[in-house]
Amino acid sequence: MVASEENSALFPIFVLTVMSLPLVPYTVFKLFHAFSKEKKNIHCQCSVCLSSGKYRQSIFKRISNFSTGSNLTLVLLWIVMMVLVYYIKQINHEIQVFEPFSILGLEPRASDSDIKKAYRRLSIQYHPDKNPDPEAHSYFVEYISKAYQALTDPVSRENFEKYGHPDGRKGIEMSVALPLFLLNIDGASGGILLLGIVGVCILLPLVMAVIYLSRSSKYTGNYVRHQTLSAYYYFMKPSLAPSKVMEVFTTAAEYMDIPVRRSDDEPLQRLFLLVRSELNLDHKNIRQEQAKFWKQHPALVKTILLVQAQLNRESAALSPVLLGDFKRVLECSPRLLEELMKMAILPRTSQGYGWLRPAIGVVELSQNFIQAVPLSARKTSGGFSEGIAPFLQLPHFSEAIVKKITRKKVRSFQEFQDLTLQERAELLTQVAGFSAAESQDVEMALEMMPSIMIDIKCETEGEEGIQEGDIVTMRAWITLRRGNGLVGALPHAPYFPFHKEENFWLLLADAVSNDVWLSQRVSFMDEGAAITAATKAIQLSKEGLGSSLKEINAAVKEAVEKVRNGSRLVMGKFQAPAEGNYNLTSYCLCDSWIGCDKKTTLKVKVLKQSRAGTRAGDLAGEGLTVEDKIEDEEDEEEEGFDDYESEYSEDDEDDRGTNTNGVVGNVNVHEEHTGSSSDGEE
């Protein structure tokens, strides 16, 4: 029984030791990481963004930021450790080494007379005849009597001096630090305990895993419903205009789950009157068009109106209940738009090409959605070729302000950006009527806007020129610059209530045939991941060319330096087409800013095959074609592809390519900054 109690007392010490081994170093690492992390603002500091409250660090937001799974687990484990320490200190009985001199209160080597005197003194205090306390009786029998016997009996004293115990030599004892109730299990109690262990350790995790898998099977890795992807794939068409992209976007299953209440009818009717001009209704038959609109699925009608409330900045007109649904629509919109973009550039044809026009439309919708600018603002008006949409994303700007600026012959957003600081300040204060603080807000927003440069090269590695059937490697360096010096940043988006990171899409496409040859999403937020990806890509490329270790290290060092200076490496491979000259365009499109997109034209020459063999069979290994997802190509061929930019842009026939089948070859790179992806081929 005593041994069992000793084992039970050791159990919390064992648990405390096991917990402290990983917990202490991990806590030190977390604290070091938290204090060493540089604190810098990567969001816009204009008064409009600050007053939106999106970046305000309230006590509740700080608690929310701290309340991550890892932090809460860490705090909980430290609380458990402190409880264990307190429990160990409060244990009623402690494991003691048998020391007879110490028990009798004597110094070692005390005489026999001193031992007898000490025993008589303690007997008066603890003997059952003198002290009726049961604990005193137990202490007298277990300790005082044994100590006196060990020091007065010759055999016991000899055993104590030789082996440290009056009972003589004892065998090695093995004990397990487990609680006492686990050491005294028999009969029915043991069966109940076994069932409990099986339930907690096996059945409970299994049930939780089944529930998690049943729920997660409905979603993709981006937490988008599979039903949504099926709808997007079905409704996506090669000639889908930007105004029609929103109709596809609002069919998401996530939006169909939004509850429809009778109490929402009146607020939605009022909202309809505010955004009716943006619904593309036929004004000649406005009554029939309105009736047709309201006959759609109630959840779809509600979603369309809430999306228009964001685009037209009419959220103040929503009721408190509708405002909750409005935020729900906005919260999942970035994920849905990203998946919609993937559906647009998903290879559909036998050659493995995606579609350019709907891809541009999706990005335009994302830009307007984040900046809360109506799609109609992209239409050419007032002398602005790209519309007034880029101006409306700036703080304090309105359509009336843009008209005032037009009188001073500022005909494009690029011209407005190219003004000097003094010229722009005079224009805003003297012409637009801005105060000095409002003018400063505009400058802050302009300093946050990214400027993109593209350095792109396409070649057949290890060969001269590009021939039919060659596997072509595209290598593009995308460099981002801002007026405030930041690389990774959050966009100026005061009307979007959630944090939104900038994402860029690089598309290599044939604008005439509407084909997207290569596509990749690019982010400037994670420098470490970009360095790792660039290093790996450069190493593999150089090793394939048989470069020396010195050359590989030099190339890697150069790539790392470029990434740290704000560049990102994008690489891709695809098969060269038939012999001919090709005109391609690389698009770098931003999903958060209007007027920051970049185009680069590529003039490509593919030669007739003269090298022995062909590498056409290698394409399957690259995973660049999707044979199992070919839609009806006859319907696609009947579509007219006269315009592959925004439906709001003006086309210039002089920039049309002469060959619609091309990919890449030895290229001449021509960069042109477009105020928006909606600009036509200029």
Side-chain angles (χ1 to χ4, degrees):
M1 181 68 180
V2 176
S4 298
E5 292 178 355
E6 292 178 353
N7 293 339
S8 179
L10 289 174
F11 179 71
I13 300 176
F14 171 75
V15 174
L16 183 65
T17 304
V18 172
M19 289 181 59
S20 62
L21 288 176
L23 187 60
V24 172
Y26 180 71
T27 304
V28 173
F29 168 77
K30 290 280 287 186
L31 292 175
F32 177 79
H33 181 72
F35 285 109
S36 62
K37 188 177 181 181
E38 294 184 3
K39 299 293 184 182
K40 63 178 181 180
N41 292 320
I42 60 172
H43 58 81
C44 182
Q45 299 293 311
C46 73
S47 62
V48 181
C49 286
L50 295 179
S51 62
S52 67
K54 183 165 57 172
Y55 306 111
R56 188 178 299 127
Q57 290 294 325
S58 64
I59 183 64
F60 299 104
K61 183 165 289 188
R62 292 179 181 178
I63 293 175
S64 177
N65 292 337
F66 176 78
S67 301
T68 61
S70 60
N71 289 342
L72 292 178
T73 303
L74 196 64
V75 172
L76 180 62
L77 290 176
W78 273 107
I79 292 175
V80 172
M81 284 188 63
M82 288 187 289
V83 171
L84 287 174
V85 171
Y86 178 79
Y87 173 74
I88 292 170
K89 287 185 176 181
Q90 298 299 320
I91 291 178
N92 293 329
H93 62 278
E94 298 180 356
I95 301 174
Q96 297 179 353
V97 179
F98 185 73
E99 290 287 351
F101 289 104
S102 177
I103 293 173
L104 297 177
L106 299 172
E107 295 292 333
R109 304 299 177 183
S111 63
D112 293 341
S113 61
D114 293 335
I115 293 173
K116 292 179 180 180
K117 289 179 181 179
Y119 176 72
R120 284 195 296 269
R121 184 181 71 253
L122 294 175
S123 296
I124 295 173
Q125 184 177 358
Y126 292 100
H127 195 278
D129 295 339
K130 304 295 184 181
N131 191 340
D133 189 356
E135 292 186 2
H137 181 201
S138 176
Y139 182 73
F140 180 81
V141 173
E142 293 292 335
Y143 292 96
I144 298 175
S145 295
K146 286 187 177 182
Y148 178 72
Q149 181 184 5
L151 297 178
T152 56
D153 184 73
V155 178
S156 298
R157 184 157 188 170
E158 182 180 1
N159 289 335
F160 172 72
E161 292 176 352
K162 286 184 178 181
Y163 307 111
H165 199 277
D167 297 332
R169 184 194 295 258
K170 301 186 70 174
I172 299 176
E173 293 184 357
M174 301 294 292
S175 60
V176 180
L178 292 176
L180 186 60
F181 72 91
L182 290 178
L183 301 174
N184 297 323
I185 296 175
D186 55 357
S189 301
I192 295 174
L193 178 63
L194 179 61
L195 290 177
I197 293 175
V198 171
V200 174
C201 299
I202 299 177
L203 296 181
L204 182 60
L206 184 61
V207 171
M208 294 178 64
V210 170
I211 295 174
Y212 172 77
L213 292 176
S214 64
R215 292 181 177 179
S216 62
S217 62
K218 300 179 181 179
Y219 296 90
T220 65
N222 201 19
Y223 204 67
V224 174
R225 296 269 293 271
H226 288 293
Q227 185 180 351
T228 299
L229 296 187
S230 299
Y232 284 175
Y233 185 86
Y234 177 79
F235 289 113
M236 186 61 63
K237 301 299 178 184
S239 59
L240 200 66
S243 60
K244 301 297 182 182
V245 168
M246 191 174 68
E247 296 180 7
V248 179
F249 167 66
T250 53
T251 59
E254 286 81 354
Y255 293 156
M256 296 299 102
D257 292 340
I258 296 178
V260 179
R261 316 172 190 87
R262 288 188 177 182
S263 59
D264 295 337
D265 291 344
E266 185 177 349
L268 289 177
Q269 288 283 356
R270 293 197 301 267
L271 180 60
F272 174 80
L273 297 177
L274 295 174
V275 302
R276 181 172 53 183
S277 60
E278 296 291 329
L279 295 177
N280 295 323
L281 302 179
D282 186 2
H283 294 284
K284 296 180 180 179
N285 302 304
I286 188 64
R287 291 186 178 180
Q288 293 84 346
E289 289 289 302
Q290 291 183 15
K292 183 179 178 181
F293 175 80
W294 288 104
K295 285 181 180 180
Q296 299 178 92
H297 192 285
L300 181 62
V301 171
K302 185 175 184 178
T303 301
I304 293 174
L305 292 177
L306 292 179
V307 169
Q308 290 294 346
Q310 167 66 7
L311 294 175
N312 292 273
R313 303 180 183 180
E314 296 290 352
S315 60
L318 301 177
S319 64
V321 177
L322 272 182
L323 194 60
D325 297 333
F326 174 73
K327 291 184 177 180
R328 180 175 173 181
V329 169
L330 265 60
E331 185 176 13
C332 60
S333 60
R335 301 194 304 270
L336 297 177
L337 287 167
E338 182 177 339
E339 294 301 320
L340 187 59
M341 181 66 175
K342 293 177 182 178
M343 287 295 109
I345 58 181
L346 182 71
R348 304 290 187 110
T349 66
S350 58
Q351 293 82 11
Y353 301 155
W355 296 325
L356 176 62
R357 190 178 188 187
I360 292 177
V362 173
V363 174
E364 287 185 352
L365 176 60
S366 177
Q367 293 171 353
N368 286 57
F369 198 86
I370 300 301
Q371 295 296 337
V373 174
L375 289 174
S376 61
R378 288 184 177 269
K379 294 180 179 179
T380 301
S381 62
F384 292 97
S385 59
E386 72 273 23
I388 63 173
F391 289 95
L392 296 182
Q393 67 187 338
L394 298 177
H396 313 299
F397 264 74
S398 64
E399 187 174 353
I401 298 297
V402 177
K403 289 181 179 179
K404 292 180 180 180
I405 292 177
T406 305
R407 299 169 188 167
K408 292 298 179 178
K409 299 182 179 180
V410 177
R411 297 297 180 181
S412 69
F413 188 69
Q414 186 61 49
E415 290 182 11
F416 180 74
Q417 285 182 298
D418 291 340
L419 295 175
T420 64
L421 187 62
Q422 182 178 357
E423 291 174 341
R424 193 159 48 239
E426 292 177 355
L427 180 67
L428 293 176
T429 54
Q430 298 178 10
V431 178
F434 282 8
S435 65
E438 292 174 336
S439 178
Q440 183 63 27
D441 287 340
V442 174
E443 292 300 331
M444 288 182 180
L446 290 174
E447 288 180 351
M448 289 294 294
M449 295 188 71
S451 175
I452 299 296
M453 294 177 288
I454 305 176
D455 180 12
I456 188 168
K457 183 179 181 181
C458 302
E459 60 185 0
T460 303
E461 293 185 350
E463 302 287 352
E464 293 184 3
I466 296 177
Q467 297 183 8
E468 299 174 340
D470 282 353
I471 300 302
V472 181
T473 300
M474 181 206 72
R475 183 182 289 104
W477 281 101
I478 303 176
T479 304
L480 183 146
R481 295 284 185 269
R482 301 182 201 270
N484 55 17
L486 293 174
V487 177
L490 301 175
H492 163 84
Y495 296 97
F496 191 78
F498 303 100
H499 286 253
K500 173 67 176 71
E501 295 183 0
E502 299 172 345
N503 289 313
F504 296 82
W505 289 91
L506 179 66
L507 308 179
L508 183 62
D510 187 337
V512 177
S513 63
N514 194 38
D515 293 331
V516 176
W517 295 89
L518 275 181
S519 60
Q520 186 168 333
R521 186 170 68 91
V522 185
S523 175
F524 287 83
M525 297 299 293
D526 193 342
E527 182 181 286
I531 290 176
T532 302
T535 300
K536 184 177 180 180
I538 294 296
Q539 285 179 339
L540 292 176
S541 177
K542 291 296 182 181
E543 289 173 358
L545 296 175
S547 301
S548 64
L549 182 60
K550 183 177 181 181
E551 292 174 336
I552 294 176
N553 291 336
V556 168
K557 184 178 180 180
E558 181 183 359
V560 170
E561 192 64 27
K562 283 186 176 181
V563 172
R564 288 174 176 170
N565 290 331
S567 298
R568 297 293 183 266
L569 176 62
V570 181
M571 295 185 66
K573 294 179 182 291
F574 45 88
Q575 187 178 1
E579 176 188 8
N581 295 323
Y582 299 90
N583 293 325
L584 300 178
T585 306
S586 65
Y587 297 82
C588 187
L589 309 175
C590 179
D591 69 346
S592 304
W593 290 95
I594 305 174
C596 296
D597 304 321
K598 192 77 168 183
K599 289 195 306 183
T600 303
T601 60
L602 311 175
K603 294 183 178 180
V604 180
K605 184 176 182 180
V606 179
L607 306 175
K608 187 175 182 180
Q609 182 181 350
S610 62
R611 293 189 284 268
T614 179
R615 280 167 278 180
D618 296 339
L619 186 58
E622 299 294 335
L624 296 176
T625 61
V626 179
E627 295 290 342
D628 56 340
K629 289 187 177 180
I630 302 176
E631 288 195 332
D632 190 357
E633 296 183 21
E634 294 180 358
D635 293 342
E636 296 175 15
E637 292 176 357
E638 293 176 0
E639 298 284 351
F641 301 129
D642 295 328
D643 180 13
Y644 304 99
E645 300 287 342
S646 168
E647 63 179 327
Y648 308 117
S649 62
E650 296 181 349
D651 301 322
D652 188 345
E653 298 294 335
D654 295 337
D655 196 42
R656 295 296 183 190
T658 57
N659 194 317
T660 64
N661 299 321
V663 200
V664 292
N666 296 331
V667 302
N668 295 322
V669 180
H670 304 282
E671 293 187 356
E672 42 183 298
H673 182 82
T674 61
S676 169
S677 59
S678 63
D679 290 347
E681 302 282 352
E682 298 179 359

